[in-house]
């Protein structure tokens, strides 16, 4: 019975993979955002990398179109307003298959 449940749970998620590039060092947080019925952005998946580079992030297959953003997160408390940040260009269409080769670059932090 457990194997059946585990297989069903796996079928309900897809993996987004690719690479976040940045000339800086330190932790990078990746967030997958979906719009709810009222147009508000909702986080459907997050991942923190030790440094810029390759990633794999599981998200619900029912997420629909997603916006992806990444930012430096040295304190481990989320992407702040003065973080190096980047938004993946366009929407990522999520369905029943994994999505790979997602690559984008963070921009320098905003000046205080």
């Amino acid at each position: 019975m457990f194997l059946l449940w585990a297989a069903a749970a796996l079928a309900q998620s897809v993996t987004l993979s690719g690479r976040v590039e940045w000339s800086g060092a330190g932790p990078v947080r990746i967030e997958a955002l979906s719009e709810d019925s009222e147009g508000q952005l909702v986080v459907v998946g997050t991942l923190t990398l030790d440094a810029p580079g390759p990633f794999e992030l599981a998200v619900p297959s029912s997420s629909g179109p997603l916006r992806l953003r990444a930012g430096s997160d040295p304190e481990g408390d989320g992407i702040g307003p003065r973080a190096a940040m980047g938004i993946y260009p366009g929407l990522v269409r999520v369905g029943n298959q994994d999505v790979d080769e997602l690559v984008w670059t963070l921009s320098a932090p905003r000046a205080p």
Side-chain angles (χ1 to χ4, degrees):
M1 186 66 158
F2 174 75
L3 289 177
L4 245 162
W5 177 84
L10 288 175
Q12 296 176 8
S13 68
V14 295
T15 299
L16 308 178
S17 63
R19 180 176 187 82
V20 174
E21 299 174 343
W22 180 41
S23 60
V28 172
R29 179 181 169 98
I30 300 172
E31 297 176 341
L33 307 159
S34 180
E35 271 189 33
D36 67 12
S37 60
E38 296 172 6
Q40 299 295 314
L41 291 178
V42 177
V43 176
V44 296
T46 64
L47 173 68
T48 301
L49 305 173
D50 291 334
F55 72 90
E56 288 188 351
L57 173 62
V59 297
S61 60
S62 61
S63 298
L66 296 176
R67 298 178 194 278
L68 299 179
R69 72 176 173 184
S72 59
D73 187 15
E75 291 84 27
D77 59 353
I79 302 171
R82 289 185 174 51
M85 189 182 309
I87 298 175
Y88 183 79
L91 296 174
V92 176
R93 306 273 176 208
V94 174
N96 294 323
Q97 296 182 346
D98 293 343
V99 180
D100 57 9
E101 299 184 19
L102 300 167
V103 178
W104 73 103
T105 302
L106 304 186
S107 298
R110 298 179 202 155

